[in-house]
Structure formats: C-alpha cells, structure tokens
Amino acid sequence: MDNSPVEKLIIVGSGPAGLTAAIYAARGNLKPVVVSGREMGGQLMLTTDVDDFPGFDSGIQGPELMERMRKQAERFEVRFIDENVQSVDFSKKPFVIQSESRRLTTESLIIATGASAIWLGLESEKKFMGRGVSSCAVCDGFFFKDKNIIVVGGGDTAMREAQYLSKLCKSVTVVHRRDTFRAQSALVELVKSKPNVKFMWNATIEEFMGQDKLEKVRLKNTQDGKVTEMSIDGVFVAIGHKPNTDFLKDQLELDQKGYIALHDETKTSVEGVFVAGDVADYHYRQAVTAAGMGCKATFDAEEYLENLIP
Ligand code: NAP
C-alpha cells in the first residue's frame, strides 16, 4: 500500500529546463519535486566555458552554472530525488512516476530529460568506448593532448568538437560522409582557420581497430567505395543527439525523430503533462532557450492546476 501524498508538480530532469521550471514552480508555491536523474545537470555538466548564458559577463563553467541553478532551487525548498525515472503511467490521474526506489504520484508533470549523443552503431565502436572512442570532447579531450584524433560529423556539434580539440590535440581530421557541411558557416570558417585541422570528405568509419586501445580506423569512401586504413589515437563521434524518452514508452505522442510532440507551447498529447528543453526541441538546443521553455512549462502547469476541479 502506497501512502505517499499526491504531489502537485513533479519535474523530471535537472538541466537548465528542469531547474528553471523548478525555481518558478517553487516560487509559485507548487512545492515541486525534481527527479533529477543519476547524473545531475544535463549536458552542461559536460561543457567547460559558457560564454553565451546572459548574466555572466566573464563567462561561467557549465558545471558551475548547473550547481548554482540547483542551489537557487534549493533556496526555495525544491525537493530533489537523485534517481532515474524508469516508467510512467499516464492512463489515470494522478499520474504515476516510478523511479529506481520510489513510486510517486502527481497531478501534473514537466518532462525535461534532454537528449543524449548518437553513436555510429558499429560493434567495434562499443569495444573501444572509453579506450579511444568518445562523444564528448570536453569530457575526454584532455586524454588526447598532443595526439592525432578524428571528429566524425558535419553539423554544428562536430564543428564545436573540432574547434575545442584543435586547441589540445596535435591534429584533428574531420571525417564527413558528404562533401558539404550542414553546420553554420561561421563555425565552419572558424574551424577551417585552425592550422592543425584537416578535412576528409565523403568518408565514413567502417571499423575501429586496435588491441587494448584504439590504434586505427578503416574508412570507406562514400563515392567510389575505396577502403583505406588510418592510424589514429582517438575518435570523437559527433553526429547528433537522441531525445531521452525511452522511459515514456507508449504513454505520450512523440514526433518522427522521437522528440516529444508539442501541442501548443509546452503542452503534450496528455493533459497535465508538459515539456521543456531539448527533449522537445532539436532546433535551438541552447541552455537559455531550454531555461525559457522551463519557465513557460511551469506557467502552463500552474494554469492547468488552477483549473482542476477541487
Ligand atoms: P546535426 O545537425 O543533425 O548533424 C549531424 C551530422 O552528423 C550531419 O552532418 C550528418 O551528416 C552526420 N551524420 C549523421 N549520422 C551519421 C552517420 N551514421 N554516419 C556519419 N555521419 C552521420 O546534429 P548536431 O550537429 O548535433 O546539431 C543538432 C542541432 O543542434 C542543430 O540544430 C544545431 O544547429 C544545434 N547545435 C548548435 C550549436 C551551436 O553552437 N550553435 C552547437 C551544437 C548543436 P549529413 O550532413 O550527411 O546528414
């Protein structure tokens, strides 16, 4: 028998979207609970310099920004459960949220679980993860100081990774499957201006090879099918992100890419369930836009709760 009280608002996720939602909700007296995930703070925890979040004239480190947002939420007595959500049941009200050790019930919910890196999906990629293959330059770049590395991808993420790694590594080769980048031209120009960055067009990685750690890759030319091998110390896969929606199963409408489908601002297909940040937004994906959406989601949840029949 579960006697825990029904919460007014639970927020799932603790990046800028979730924590901003929590700060607004606490100040609006909704007494929110944040189920933060085992890794608190979202993608900004994997970032160093944040120079574009307003209010920090000299910039701020990503983890410090998240720590300060959490402290701000705690100042308004937001309660945190540092666990992952495993499943939800939206078929009845109150909604049921099952985390690793608890069953929670709530009248409304904000989902702010963000998105995670996509991998190439090769068997050999798994074998060398953490042993030469990474998806996060900021987290792992240090291990490749003065080494030769590859960045895979042709979007903004790949350019950001290449730019960051060019400051640390001896050489950076950007391997892209086509002959044009989809990244914004300003970023491409910035990367092109780095003397230690080279570009390999029309190429994909077919296999990661080595004994205990990555030593080389097998590459295939996407135009003529020619296969070559290249000695390399590290590969950073930067081909996009996947929204963290697995725990939702068939409870909520998702779009074709698996992001939560929006129904008018922050509303979802289930009345009383709202969404904020990268889990619904694959276009802007900025800390400040996620934070803004977190604020909107709380206002929408507040309006929903006010209109519930007591
Ligand atoms: P993206 O724009 O979807 O780019 C993914 C890149 O990876 C594409 O070049 C794609 O190739 C390539 N790719 C995908 N699957 C591949 C595979 N299996 N093998 C080899 N290559 C593969 O993803 P993103 O770069 O993560 O950016 C996502 C969104 O976030 C964008 O809207 C972007 O503007 C935004 N963003 C912005 C910043 C910023 O600093 N402003 C930074 C990061 C991200 P094709 O081009 O051939 O499809």
Side-chain angles (χ1 to χ4, degrees), residues 26-45:
R27 290 172 57 77
N29 205 28
L30 297 181
K31 302 189 179 355
V33 173
V34 174
V35 187
S36 64
R38 273 177 178 264
E39 287 155 30
M40 186 352 254
Q43 291 192 78
L44 276 180
M45 298 302 279

Side-chain angles (χ1 to χ4, degrees), residues 96-131:
V96 179
I97 315 297
Q98 181 66 54
S99 75
E100 285 156 73
S101 73
R102 297 183 213 199
R103 180 182 181 275
L104 304 157
T105 52
T106 183
E107 287 176 21
S108 69
L109 186 75
I110 294 175
I111 301 170
T113 43
S116 304
I118 298 174
W119 297 95
L120 292 171
L122 303 168
E123 269 307 309
S124 54
E125 180 183 48
K126 280 190 207 143
K127 181 178 167 194
F128 291 107
M129 267 180 205
R131 288 188 282 166

Side-chain angles (χ1 to χ4, degrees), residues 6-304:
V6 177
E7 304 292 346
K8 282 188 191 164
L9 173 66
I10 289 180
I11 296 160
V12 187
S14 57
L19 292 180
T20 304
I23 292 163
Y24 273 80
R27 290 172 57 77
N29 205 28
L30 297 181
K31 302 189 179 355
V33 173
V34 174
V35 187
S36 64
R38 273 177 178 264
E39 287 155 30
M40 186 352 254
Q43 291 192 78
L44 276 180
M45 298 302 279
L46 311 177
T47 310
T48 48
D49 303 324
V50 179
D51 283 327
D52 50 11
F53 198 87
F56 298 94
D57 57 348
S58 309
I60 185 165
Q61 298 290 295
E64 190 192 343
L65 179 59
M66 297 323 299
E67 200 179 307
R68 288 171 71 160
M69 277 192 206
R70 176 154 173 161
K71 278 193 182 149
Q72 191 177 354
E74 283 169 344
R75 182 155 71 93
F76 299 111
E77 296 176 2
V78 172
R79 291 163 290 158
F80 284 89
I81 297 174
D82 295 325
E83 294 183 9
N84 290 330
V85 170
Q86 292 179 324
S87 62
V88 293
D89 184 356
F90 298 157
S91 65
K92 53 181 184 282
K93 291 184 181 172
F95 304 127
V96 179
I97 315 297
Q98 181 66 54
S99 75
E100 285 156 73
S101 73
R102 297 183 213 199
R103 180 182 181 275
L104 304 157
T105 52
T106 183
E107 287 176 21
S108 69
L109 186 75
I110 294 175
I111 301 170
T113 43
S116 304
I118 298 174
W119 297 95
L120 292 171
L122 303 168
E123 269 307 309
S124 54
E125 180 183 48
K126 280 190 207 143
K127 181 178 167 194
F128 291 107
M129 267 180 205
R131 288 188 282 166
V133 177
S134 168
S135 70
C136 176
V138 172
C139 324
D140 299 330
F142 178 79
F143 302 115
F144 299 92
K145 201 164 180 288
D146 300 323
K147 305 268 188 194
N148 300 307
I149 63 98
I150 282 174
V151 171
V152 184
D156 286 346
T157 302
M159 295 306 125
R160 286 274 183 218
E161 298 282 270
Q163 180 211 356
Y164 180 85
L165 290 163
S166 70
K167 292 186 272 183
L168 283 174
C169 301
K170 188 170 163 193
S171 78
V172 176
T173 305
V174 178
V175 172
H176 181 37
R177 64 184 177 183
R178 294 188 296 129
D179 61 0
T180 49
F181 286 131
R182 69 172 63 233
Q184 50 181 295
S185 53
L187 271 180
V188 174
E189 290 312 314
L190 182 65
V191 173
K192 277 186 177 166
S193 73
K194 307 289 176 191
N196 59 341
V197 178
K198 293 175 280 188
F199 298 93
M200 186 183 283
W201 307 101
N202 301 315
T204 52
I205 292 182
E206 295 282 291
E207 195 176 354
F208 296 90
M209 294 180 285
Q211 289 298 318
D212 295 334
K213 63 181 181 57
L214 182 70
E215 289 162 19
K216 57 184 177 176
V217 287
R218 183 174 298 132
L219 296 150
K220 187 175 177 184
N221 186 297
T222 55
Q223 301 288 85
D224 59 17
K226 200 175 155 201
V227 174
T228 51
E229 287 185 2
M230 180 176 170
S231 295
I232 205 76
D233 299 307
V235 173
F236 288 80
V237 178
I239 60 170
H241 292 81
K242 175 184 175 297
N244 297 319
T245 50
D246 287 352
F247 68 100
L248 293 169
K249 296 271 172 0
D250 298 323
Q251 299 283 325
L252 203 59
E253 184 190 335
L254 306 178
D255 71 11
Q256 284 177 335
K257 293 182 177 179
Y259 289 78
I260 295 176
L262 288 175
H263 288 244
D264 185 19
E265 293 291 350
T266 72
K267 293 179 186 152
T268 69
S269 57
V270 176
E271 206 186 21
V273 178
F274 303 87
V275 65
D278 292 9
V279 71
D281 168 25
Y282 50 81
H283 184 64
Y284 295 106
R285 300 184 59 234
Q286 300 301 301
V288 73
T289 52
M293 200 170 171
C295 164
K296 284 183 180 182
T298 292
F299 285 164
D300 290 345
E302 206 163 16
E303 190 180 309
Y304 167 78

